């Protein structure tokens, strides 16, 4: 390895480790324009460029959140926006010791020839976009692949797993080439009626395929983070597994398929309630030590109370920030296995 590549890898490793620093995790504030519109609609707020900017500003300027938030994944629009004082969000975050990141995929689209399955697009032009995002301050990125379970139709197919793993690996290699840490997100959706056992089997297959692709593409595992689903029953399943069962199944799956070279695993919440996502993470960390840091990269599970509190009312902006701080604090405690129902009930003064 030449000196330039060695230096770049050292930078990737440093940023990856900082993102999973003890007691900290990542805020996913990278909702697309369509998704954030749904979130704002749910609280009666019209989605405009300014309301989207203001809502993100409330989250990103929460005093003390940097104690528990190591990085923030931003959407393209948000990375180009600024605080009310005219400070670019990326600069504001860096001033607080928080690392700016960027969502770079173009969304999951129907997989040709495979009804009911999707593959994530956005590789065309990615090298140039990553260069621009680096200039705008982004130090890590995220790409999400989605895997649907439908046992009656034999889904997911091996081809769907391979197609998404290939896209994730190409994205990761391009990120590392640009000096940006890739978050690799293969999400097995929890929307079906499948059991936790089926989810574990599909997650096993997914992770096995993804890491094989990463190896084939020459991706340095020391300079990535993995963002997987937890192993959990589908929302429509007749039996929902208990928190301890979810924690044990998830850790078992990760131990079997995630190399120890990966610095950290930052879970997505995948539609779980705020408190349940925190409880699952807490239980997994109590089972440690693990070969990798077990952290969070939550979106709705960190934001929902703040959004509901604010609901477009500027008089409630500070209360919304307190709600966000509380969720960040609870998840920070779960990073150490120190979350409790008593802590959950506390509220910032």
């Amino acid at each position: 390895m030449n000196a330039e590549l060695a230096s770049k890898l050292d930078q990737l490793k440093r940023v990856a480790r900082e993102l999973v620093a003890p007691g900290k995790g990542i805020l996913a504030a990278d909702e697309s324009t369509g998704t954030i519109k749904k979130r704002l609609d749910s609280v009666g707020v019209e989605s405009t460029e300014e309301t989207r900017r203001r809502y993100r500003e409330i989250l990103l300027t929460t005093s003390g959140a940097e104690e528990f938030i190591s990085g923030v994944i931003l959407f393209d629009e948000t990375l180009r926006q600024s605080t009310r004082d005219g400070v670019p969000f990326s600069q504001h975050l860096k001033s607080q010791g928080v690392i700016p990141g960027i969502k770079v995929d173009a969304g999951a689209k129907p997989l040709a020839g495979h009804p009911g399955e999707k593959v994530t697009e956005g590789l065309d032009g990615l090298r140039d976009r990553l260069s621009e995002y680096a200039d705008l301050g982004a130090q890590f990125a995220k790409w999400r692949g989605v895997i649907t379970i439908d046992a009656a139709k034999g889904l997911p197919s091996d081809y769907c797993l391979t197609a998404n793993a290939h896209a994730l690996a190409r994205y990761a290699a391009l990120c590392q080439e640009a000096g940006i840490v890739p978050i690799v997100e293969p999400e097995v959706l929890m929307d079906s009626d499948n059991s936790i056992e089926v989810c574990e089997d599909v997650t096993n297959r997914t992770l096995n395929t993804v890491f094989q692709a990463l190896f084939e593409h020459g991706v340095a595992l020391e300079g990535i983070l993995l963002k997987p689903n937890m192993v959990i029953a589908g929302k429509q399943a007749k039996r929902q597994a208990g928190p301890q069962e979810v924690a044990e199944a998830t850790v078992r799956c990760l131990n079997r398929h995630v190399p120890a070279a990966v610095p950290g695993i930052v879970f997505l919440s995948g539609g779980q309630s705020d408190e349940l996502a925190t409880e699952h993470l807490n239980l997994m960390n109590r089972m440690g030590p693990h070969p990798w840091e077990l952290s969070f990269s939550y979106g709705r599970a960190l934001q929902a109370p703040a959004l509901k509190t604010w609901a477009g009312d500027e008089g409630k902006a500070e209360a919304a920030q307190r709600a966000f701080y509380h969720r960040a604090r609870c998840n920070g405690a779960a990073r150490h296995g120190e979350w409790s129902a008593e802590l959950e009930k506390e509220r910032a003064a």
Side-chain angles (χ1 to χ4, degrees):
M1 180 182 296
N2 63 40
E4 181 181 354
L5 289 176
S7 176
K8 187 175 291 185
L9 180 56
D10 285 344
Q11 175 189 340
L12 294 169
K13 290 162 64 176
R14 176 184 58 78
V15 172
R17 287 194 300 266
E18 289 178 0
L19 287 168
V20 289
K24 294 186 177 185
I26 297 168
L27 166 65
D30 60 326
E31 300 89 352
S32 67
T33 303
T35 299
I36 195 65
K37 181 181 185 304
K38 293 177 183 177
R39 301 271 172 89
L40 292 173
D41 285 348
S42 73
V43 293
V45 176
E46 181 184 4
S47 179
T48 66
E49 183 176 352
E50 173 54 24
T51 58
R52 294 191 295 271
R53 188 207 65 80
R54 179 56 184 151
Y55 171 57
R56 263 79 180 245
E57 180 180 31
I58 288 171
L59 299 175
L60 303 186
T61 59
T62 296
S63 179
E66 68 276 5
E67 299 173 50
F68 316 108
I69 302 297
S70 58
V72 180
I73 311 171
L74 302 171
F75 189 59
D76 180 277
E77 176 185 71
T78 316
L79 183 62
R80 303 174 191 277
Q81 291 176 327
S82 303
T83 66
R84 283 179 168 178
D85 297 330
V87 180
F89 281 140
S90 62
Q91 290 185 22
H92 169 76
L93 289 171
K94 288 180 179 179
S95 74
Q96 302 300 306
V98 179
I99 302 172
I102 180 70
K103 166 190 164 77
V104 299
D105 68 68
K109 306 296 171 62
L111 180 60
H114 288 260
E117 298 192 290
K118 294 183 177 182
V119 65
T120 302
E121 298 183 350
L123 290 171
D124 289 350
L126 181 56
R127 177 179 278 116
D128 291 337
R129 287 191 289 123
L130 287 169
S131 178
E132 180 187 12
Y133 288 142
D135 289 341
L136 289 169
Q139 294 178 258
F140 71 101
K142 191 204 82 168
W143 178 290
R144 174 178 177 252
V146 296
I147 307 299
T148 299
I149 297 177
D150 189 332
K153 297 180 180 178
L155 306 183
S157 65
D158 288 342
Y159 178 68
C160 175
L161 297 182
T162 300
N164 279 284
H166 177 80
L168 283 164
R170 285 190 60 194
Y171 140 81
L174 285 166
C175 281
Q176 291 192 337
E177 176 187 86
I180 290 176
V181 172
I183 291 184
V184 176
E185 181 179 358
E187 179 181 3
V188 177
L189 299 176
M190 56 179 289
D191 298 334
S192 188
D193 60 356
N194 59 277
S195 66
I196 186 173
E197 291 82 7
V198 170
C199 180
E200 183 171 1
D201 176 66
V202 172
T203 305
N204 282 334
R205 291 170 56 202
T206 299
L207 293 179
N208 183 60
T209 307
V210 166
F211 278 99
Q212 179 62 34
L214 291 171
F215 173 77
E216 291 171 351
H217 283 72
V219 174
L221 299 185
E222 300 92 334
I224 74 165
L225 294 177
L226 177 69
K227 182 174 178 176
N229 55 283
M230 296 180 191
V231 175
I232 193 168
K235 292 179 182 178
Q236 302 174 45
K238 293 180 180 179
R239 184 185 80 85
Q240 291 296 321
Q244 187 63 39
E245 187 178 358
V246 169
E248 291 176 359
T250 303
V251 170
R252 180 170 59 241
C253 180
L254 297 174
N255 273 319
R256 288 173 173 170
H257 299 285
V258 182
V262 175
I265 295 168
V266 291
F267 290 103
L268 56 89
S269 52
Q272 301 175 61
S273 71
D274 315 334
E275 294 185 16
L276 190 57
T278 304
E279 183 178 5
H280 284 151
L281 178 63
N282 186 68
L283 288 170
M284 283 186 267
N285 275 309
R286 285 186 178 178
M287 295 168 62
H290 302 292
W292 357 254
E293 294 288 333
L294 293 185
S295 186
F296 58 91
S297 178
Y298 295 160
R300 190 203 50 75
L302 274 171
Q303 299 180 37
L307 177 62
K308 184 177 180 180
T309 300
W310 173 61
D313 184 346
E314 280 302 303
K316 296 181 179 178
E318 290 187 6
Q321 290 182 323
R322 291 195 295 271
F324 172 61
Y325 177 88
H326 178 71
R327 286 257 48 83
R329 181 187 176 204
C330 285
N331 283 291
R335 286 280 281 110
H336 297 295
E338 296 175 354
W339 172 87
S340 65
E342 290 71 25
L343 174 62
E344 189 64 54
K345 293 176 183 176
E346 291 181 16
R347 289 293 183 268

